[in-house]
Amino acid sequence: MVYRRPPSIKSAEGSADATRAYVLLTLTALVWAGNAVASKWAVGQVSPLALTGLRWLVACLALVPLAGRRVSREWRILLPSWRRILLMGGCGYTAFNALFYVSGTYTSAANLALIQGAIPVLVLICSRFVYRTPVGSMQIVGVTVTLLGVVVAASHGDLGVLRTMAFNTGDVFMLVACVFYAGYTVALRGRPAVSGITFFAAMAAVAFVTSLPLVAIEWARGHLVAPTALGWVIVVYVGLGPSLISQLWFMQGVELIGPNRAGIFVNLLPVFGAILAVALVGEPFRLDNAVALALVLGGIFIAERQGRGKPQAP
């Protein structure tokens, strides 16, 4: 006789898995939002490109005991795709983070988080051009609303900025960084068939190697700032938190409730970012920040509401 668990037990287990996933994914968004605060705190404590390189060095060192055996078994599968891995790691990890930390020297932590909130709609746009993914009318509305929120954030609600196109350098860099990350996200569809942690380890290694020329340029130009005591704290935080632990939490959350439901939690990033900017950096939360936040989240909600459940083009 085969024992079958009662439906009530299965339901309880499913509910427990969902609750665990919600906690992990919420913490993931919170840690990622903390990266914007770290970017502001890093000013004068460690230079942006040095922070980028050291971040991935810390992550790589931490990955050795966590993923070493898995990588040793699967690295041959990665070799045929080395060009793709190099491009994805260089753009999605190195370029994104370098621009992110450089942006932190020019713009507010709130804007870093708000503009980063546009990544989901940028992914939608990139998917349309790369894979011809169908885009519905409401998704177009959502994209428009979200991008309008980014414009409000970047212009600080000042129409004069729009007329003269005199945007803050940091806001422009941050938007370019988001385009890089959106491209990386779209490219994930064709990633090698290895475990998530092996692929992440490969990305982290590529990110560290490709960050070294940037650090060398920063040093040659006399802009390199070696980490202070606080700088090392920031390095360890971004190397273990946003780079590693949150990635593992996100992967676990995806395994528990699936990528579609898990992806929605990324939308908490601009919310947490704005809260942390006020609480930890002491930035004022102005009316234009509130309007930008509402537009970004509203646009994402509109775009994802129509896109949810629709199959993507191969």
Side-chain angles (χ1 to χ4, degrees):
M1 180 177 179
V2 178
Y3 172 75
R4 291 183 174 85
R5 287 177 296 177
S8 59
I9 296 179
K10 292 182 180 180
S11 176
E13 289 179 350
S15 177
D17 285 346
T19 301
R20 184 182 178 192
Y22 297 157
V23 172
L24 289 174
L25 293 168
T26 300
L27 289 173
T28 296
L30 181 61
V31 172
W32 282 344
N35 199 31
V37 173
S39 178
K40 294 301 296 180
W41 282 356
V43 177
Q45 306 297 326
V46 55
S47 50
L49 303 183
L51 178 58
T52 302
L54 290 170
R55 164 183 176 152
W56 292 114
L57 175 60
V58 170
C60 287
L61 292 175
L63 278 165
V64 172
L66 292 175
R69 291 184 179 179
R70 200 70 177 265
V71 172
S72 66
R73 292 197 301 266
E74 298 180 328
W75 68 271
R76 289 181 179 83
I77 304 174
L78 295 170
L79 285 181
S81 305
W82 70 268
R83 291 183 181 86
R84 186 186 190 93
I85 292 171
L86 183 64
L87 184 62
M88 290 176 67
C91 292
Y93 284 15
T94 305
F96 172 79
N97 284 287
L99 288 167
F100 186 96
Y101 294 133
V102 170
S103 298
T105 64
Y106 295 101
T107 192
S108 65
N111 267 27
L112 290 176
L114 287 170
I115 296 174
Q116 196 174 356
I119 288 177
V121 296
L122 292 175
V123 170
L124 183 66
I125 294 171
C126 290
S127 295
R128 172 59 183 166
F129 284 104
V130 176
Y131 294 114
R132 301 297 181 187
T133 303
V135 177
S137 57
M138 292 307 294
Q139 287 178 309
I140 294 174
V141 172
V143 167
T144 303
V145 171
T146 297
L147 293 181
L148 180 60
V150 172
V151 170
V152 171
S155 66
H156 302 281
D158 185 354
L159 294 178
V161 172
L162 297 179
R163 285 195 297 268
T164 60
M165 297 299 288
F167 291 102
N168 181 294
T169 301
D171 294 331
V172 174
F173 281 170
M174 189 61 220
L175 186 56
V176 174
C178 291
V179 172
F180 273 119
Y181 198 82
Y184 157 78
T185 303
V186 171
L188 283 173
R189 182 180 294 192
R191 77 173 181 84
V194 294
S195 61
I197 196 164
T198 294
F199 182 73
F200 174 65
M203 291 290 99
V206 167
F208 171 63
V209 172
T210 54
S211 68
L212 294 179
L214 299 181
V215 177
I217 292 172
E218 191 174 57
W219 172 78
R221 297 183 63 185
H223 296 160
L224 182 70
V225 176
T228 62
L230 176 58
W232 279 114
V233 172
I234 294 169
V235 166
V236 172
Y237 168 74
V238 299
L240 296 181
S243 299
L244 180 60
I245 296 173
S246 58
Q247 296 286 350
L248 298 178
W249 284 345
F250 187 76
M251 285 191 287
Q252 193 171 359
V254 169
E255 290 175 359
L256 290 171
I257 62 173
N260 290 338
R261 292 168 67 190
I264 296 173
F265 283 80
V266 177
N267 300 336
L268 291 173
L269 199 155
V271 178
F272 286 150
I275 294 172
L276 293 178
V278 174
L280 300 181
V281 184
E283 295 179 357
F285 190 71
R286 304 182 306 272
L287 177 61
D288 60 279
N289 294 134
V291 172
L293 180 61
L295 289 170
V296 168
L297 293 180
I300 292 171
F301 174 78
I302 294 170
E304 290 188 348
R305 187 175 179 83
Q306 182 178 16
R308 202 174 303 153
K310 290 191 174 184
Q312 292 185 326

